[in-house]
Amino acid sequence: MKELQELAEQLINGYSDHVARLTQELLDKGATPQTILNEGLVAGMTVVGERMRSGEMYLPEVLQSASAMHASLKILKPHLVRDGVESRGKILMGTVKGDMHDIGKNLVGIMLEGAGYEIVDLGLNVQAQKFVEAIQTHKPAILGLSAMLTTTMLHMKTTIDAITQAGVRANVKILVGGAPVSQKFADEVGADAYARDAVKAVDKVKELLAA
Amino acid sequence: MPTQEAGKPYSTLALRSPEELMFGRVPKPVSCGYGLQLGAGAVYPELNFTLPTMLIEEESWSSIVNQYDELGEMIRRTAKRLHLPGLMIEFELLPPMTERPEWGAEITRVLDSHLKKAHEVDGLPCALRVTPTDIRDAIRPPLLRTGTEWETLRASFEACAEAGAHVLSIESVGGKELNDEAMMYGDVEGVMFALGVLAPRDMQFLWKEIVSICTAHGVVPGGDSACGFANTAMQLSSQGMLPEVFAAMVRGASAVRSLVAYECGAFGPSKDCAYEGPILKAITGAPIAMEGKSASCAHFSPVGNVAAAMCDLWSNESVQNVRLLSGPAPEAFLELLTYDCRLFNAALSTGSERIYQRMLVESDIHLSAQALVLSPESTIRIASAIVRERTHYRQTIAAASEALHVIRDAVRNKTLALAPKEHQWLDKIESALVALPAGEGGIMDSMIDRYGHLFTPSSYGL
């Protein structure tokens, strides 16, 4: 459909007003919300992700596209809820206890949100027990843990241990990241995946949800 | 050391031409610690190290103290082995060591005792820089002037000063809560507000306090670093997330907030991760610490050689205390820094310093806009633009604009090549800077509307 292609292109260009207008026009013409979501928005954001990976787009441009997606979703959401269309997945995230670094975690959150996932961000310096309670409350598909220091990264393990002890480990996949973190460390602490940057984190989330 | 009119923006340069900007030499040398003279004709290593992967807890504390004690022993041994003529050690506290001021003080005492021995027994001129962590952003929006975090940070400075710190520094975070967001969105207006309005206000508050603690304890107030601002931009750029010209613009602009420490009575040496250091040196005449290629243990950068061109201390930023084939990593990096410094000092003693400096500069500035803005010539241009303006807000915009002019001139002269997308951003940032209101009053309301959820105006006296 030509209009869906145009919607994706305007989203890639980051034109929120145009994306919102086109979304409404498509709904008025009878396109289903799920079609608009998948063939317009998700298709556009997939291109955005690819262009960021290849260095053709910088973060501010990606975020403009993400804002355009939000403008569309604001219109689509009541229709999606009415039709029983579920979100692409809920992701809980936070920086572990003792760590005050959050720009990396925030970037991951914004990129995932832009890719259509629902984000619950617990912020920074988050105690293990708070993660456990949030898993029980929000029932996320994935938990993202961030740490930037060699002296805080072991709190990823204490957090995962607490989640296991609370009996909710099987309910959630765990993705870890941060400057000192590696795949080896992720394996050692019992995480399901490791991502070295925000772009990779989006890929890993897709993989984890598809598994 | 005389400071300029307290609390007022600088209006003159201490060093007026690129030729006057040289490593190892400043108009206002600083004496600190056990006979260490900085900027008086030599460059010395500044070694910093951090703990390997471990938790800092009550149970692990004694083993942590032992690690620092062993490192202190290593420093003495290595200094003798390498015939070091002088040394700065930086102890950068980790958050729990700031949250429990007695912990930071204990390590300070341990390191000071080793340096004292190195001086008394081995004759090593040396000093200890202590850098508490700015823990005020443990809550969001940060409470910068009140509350437990601020009280604890202040207590940490006091405790470390009492315990034997010779130089006190910080990488302060006022304005970062907004700057992070503004940079991610490429919002030049937001970055100028964070760096030119919020950050200087916090620096004024914080550095008056730090200088007062230093004065009371006879400690040197070193300086601050725009690490959380400009180094964040540098890292985002290196990951392909921000244009390099954006990071170069932030680097120039960030010097103004770091300069405020000196307006409040700091007199150097500035912090190693403050790559804006050359601008501070040109304006204040104070010695600076820098880091570059020999800090790749901590992070990568496109400015490895040029960063050394005007340094007075040469640092490794931070290395984990892990075992390498040669020995402990901090010892390996002390050796690396020592050899780097021998070259600086041999160049100075043989009259070859201009040639060596030119090699350091030329090897980087044609490959990176971020490296270009750190050259002696760019430094003088940006510093001159700063001192021509009378408010921090105007100074910040002037520094950002001049950094872009430097880049544009190099592109025009074909001494720097930019990718097409970088060109687009150069135009975009320049247009955004030109469109900014003349005074900060004109930006305040829109910034509070856009970013009011991220910061507390009262934290900045607004």
Side-chain angles (χ1 to χ4, degrees), chain A residues 12-14 48 52 57-67 107 110-111, chain B residues 180-188 236 240-243 246 421 425 428:
Chain A
I12 294 163
N13 291 331
V48 169
M52 181 156 196
M57 282 178 92
Y58 291 122
L59 182 64
E61 292 144 351
V62 172
L63 296 185
Q64 272 193 337
S65 297
S67 294
L107 270 174
I110 289 169
M111 298 285 284
Chain B
D180 278 355
E181 183 97 347
M183 284 203 308
M184 286 196 287
Y185 283 90
D187 176 7
V188 175
L236 288 175
M241 294 201 173
L242 273 185
F246 198 100
K421 272 200 71 66
W425 272 91
K428 191 173 166 176

Side-chain angles (χ1 to χ4, degrees), chain B residues 92-213:
Chain B
E92 199 167 320
L93 279 68
L94 290 153
M97 299 171 180
T98 306
E99 286 155 5
R100 291 183 65 165
E102 70 277 16
W103 278 3
E106 187 175 353
I107 304 285
T108 300
R109 266 190 295 275
V110 167
L111 292 171
D112 175 50
S113 73
H114 284 287
L115 292 184
K116 191 174 182 203
K117 216 180 283 179
H119 182 63
E120 288 176 355
V121 178
D122 310 324
L124 176 72
C126 52
L128 175 64
R129 183 205 296 270
V130 179
T131 306
T133 322
D134 194 346
I135 54 172
R136 295 174 301 159
D137 64 350
I139 50 165
R140 299 295 169 90
L143 271 181
L144 300 171
R145 300 184 178 193
T146 54
T148 310
E149 284 75 19
W150 160 239
E151 294 299 332
T152 307
L153 176 61
R154 199 182 189 291
S156 177
F157 270 107
E158 288 272 7
C160 293
E162 274 173 23
H166 305 137
V167 179
L168 283 174
S169 284
I170 189 168
E171 299 176 11
S172 70
V173 295
K176 178 172 162 56
E177 70 276 30
L178 193 155
N179 193 66
D180 278 355
E181 183 97 347
M183 284 203 308
M184 286 196 287
Y185 283 90
D187 176 7
V188 175
E189 192 181 14
V191 170
M192 290 300 107
F193 181 69
L195 284 171
V197 178
L198 298 186
R201 279 180 158 76
D202 181 50
M203 289 284 291
Q204 281 176 329
F205 166 78
L206 185 63
W207 274 92
K208 277 178 193 160
E209 296 281 345
I210 295 172
V211 168
S212 127
I213 292 167

Side-chain angles (χ1 to χ4, degrees), chain A residues 89-93 112 117-121 140-144 205 209:
Chain A
K90 190 187 279 186
I91 296 155
L92 179 71
M93 57 199 309
L112 286 169
Y117 299 98
E118 189 182 345
I119 302 299
V120 180
D121 187 351
I142 291 176
L143 168 66
V205 162
L209 290 177

Side-chain angles (χ1 to χ4, degrees), chain A residues 56 58-59 61 102 150-151, chain B residues 51 54 140 241 422 425:
Chain A
E56 288 173 74
Y58 291 122
L59 182 64
E61 292 144 351
D102 65 353
T150 53
T151 51
Chain B
L51 295 169
M54 67 187 300
R140 299 295 169 90
M241 294 201 173
E422 292 279 336
W425 272 91

